[in-house]
Amino acid sequence: MFNLPPFAPATQQVQEALRELGRPGGIMDAKDPLNEGPVRLITNPELSPNNVDNPFHTAGTTFFGQFVDHDFTFDLNSRLAVPTPPETSPNTRFPTLSLDSVYGGGPNANPEFYDPADRVKFRVESGGLFEDLPRRSDRVAIIADPRNDENLIIAGLHAAFLLFHNRVVDLVRSQGAPADQVFNRAKQIVTWHYQWIIVHEFLPQIIGHGLTQDILRHGRQFYRPAPGQFFMPVEFQGAVYRFGHSMIRPSYRANLAGDPGGNPATGAPAFFGFIFDPAGQGQADPVDLRGRARARRRFIGWQTFFNFGDGQVRANKRIDTMISTPLFNLPLQAIPSNDPPTSLPQRNLLRHLTWSLPSGQAIAEAMRIPILTREIFPELRPLGNNLDASTPLWYYILKEAKYLGDGITLAGVGARICGEVFFGLLQLDPTSYLSVQPTWTPTLPRRNANTFTMVDLLTYARVDPASRRQ
């Protein structure tokens, strides 16, 4: 998006500074007291004074954002900290919000994703108390994007979309659609409702209602590809959209009633777990919330993650430079390249060298947005390399969110880039609702006639608490 010089040279000295910034126990580690256990870190937020809750986001915001990310970007070729021209590392996802991470190439190109008894519906399996992704004998999910099995929550969300599509197929058939049109009609309905949620629920949560409406009404200023040439900008993919890692909690209540044989001291029958826990390595039914496992208790009770009005929803963490401690020790299976470092912040920072990304300050100047002064980055001075004045973009936009948005939303550079890329990809996609029919409104059942939300989607998919009697 910006023809600007890198924030720093790709030297060993700069690499070491970035590794120090993102190391376990370092500047960005929220130092959550994991010894307190996953339940107390939820019920006693004062135990993590560096990792403050965001009262305006639900816990599901993070994982919907992760699901969206997997829908429009997947880099399989670049190497951390090795400068790489973006053109030589193509995105293996279509840079659109068209759910190819779910649909793959469709029933003809990818029949393994679909029900052999009904080729226009998805395969959905169980093996637990509720639905699970279809899996091979080695527990690997049979889905279009393997990253949607990184953790239990994203796997549950993918399964919910499979069920959502299957119910829409039933609806389309009930309306008398010709057999050869059922799949495409259902896919469009599913995709347009998903895109509506992005525009009307998700974007206002992460960049604010005002900026969302401003870009929608007055257009994009900086992400303006030539017609037919839209692309996934490395500033967005390599740095800005990784803001969501700051929102992840150290632990979650996966469900309220999935673990009847559990220890009452941990809140049985509810299933609580750290997002990742080294103790889960090699376990058939891991103690943590990693993916690639199947057991009775491994399903998501969505009332924890989205607001069904029953008082059970939990909050995200604020957007700032404090990252939950479990993310500094990822299991290798959660890393697509299956290689170290296992600290997620280190990986995010080293990507700035991969893509020769400009500093946050340089982009703010190019966008004519007020620049954060170096006094806001005193913790970076001991790292040298002028990082307090030429700051890696990911770290910079997290500071913007903290100082300008109180950690509630992105702000400044981060908010503008994020919003413009989302709207650009939708507006330049000839199949999206914003391109085909900008005045379209949702048609499926919903609680509020004026909108359609994730709660409505999950309810229609029948994975909501009422449908499950939980």
Side-chain angles (χ1 to χ4, degrees), residues 54-73:
N54 182 342
F56 298 98
H57 284 190
T58 69
T61 307
T62 299
F63 298 97
F64 182 76
Q66 183 184 24
F67 181 83
V68 171
D69 173 55
H70 296 174
D71 185 30
F72 60 14
T73 179

Side-chain angles (χ1 to χ4, degrees), residues 19 80 105 118 121 123 143 176 206 238 262 271 282 334 344 371 459:
R19 289 179 184 274
L80 288 178
D118 190 345
K121 285 188 173 183
R123 288 178 59 185
I143 54 177
I206 64 172
F271 176 25
L344 184 57
I371 301 170
T459 301

Side-chain angles (χ1 to χ4, degrees), residues 361 371-381 385-391 396 399:
Q361 290 90 342
I371 301 170
L372 299 183
T373 65
R374 65 192 312 164
E375 286 71 30
I376 291 176
F377 302 95
E379 72 279 13
L380 299 185
R381 288 175 197 155
N385 300 285
N386 200 37
L387 295 184
D388 59 332
S390 185
T391 306
Y396 184 91
K399 278 280 191 173

Side-chain angles (χ1 to χ4, degrees), residues 198-337:
I198 290 171
V199 171
H200 295 276
E201 182 177 24
F202 181 62
L203 276 178
Q205 286 178 331
I206 64 172
I207 69 171
H209 178 77
L211 183 57
T212 300
Q213 292 302 309
D214 178 74
I215 298 172
L216 187 59
R217 293 172 181 171
H218 302 116
R220 292 167 277 115
Q221 300 176 33
F222 304 100
Y223 180 63
R224 305 183 68 177
Q229 299 296 314
F230 64 102
F231 60 95
M232 178 57 64
V234 291
E235 296 94 338
F236 176 87
Q237 180 268 340
V240 170
Y241 199 60
R242 297 177 187 272
F243 80 91
H245 296 155
S246 176
M247 304 192 303
I248 298 173
R249 303 186 64 91
S251 62
Y252 293 89
R253 182 185 61 193
N255 56 60
L256 277 69
D259 199 14
N263 181 352
T266 64
F271 176 25
F272 290 85
F274 290 117
I275 186 68
F276 296 119
D277 184 343
Q281 188 64 34
Q283 295 179 336
D285 180 9
V287 296
D288 62 5
L289 303 181
R290 70 183 65 203
R292 290 188 65 169
R294 176 178 282 171
R296 175 182 171 84
R297 65 177 179 170
R298 303 191 79 79
F299 69 92
I300 296 302
W302 292 111
Q303 63 266 63
T304 291
F305 295 87
F306 297 97
N307 189 2
F308 287 84
D310 56 7
Q312 295 292 346
V313 71
R314 295 294 180 264
N316 257 343
K317 293 301 182 181
R318 295 199 186 217
I319 307 169
D320 55 27
T321 57
M322 293 288 101
I323 310 298
S324 291
T325 297
L327 299 182
F328 291 82
N329 188 15
L330 300 177
L332 283 176
Q333 74 177 52
I335 299 172
S337 56

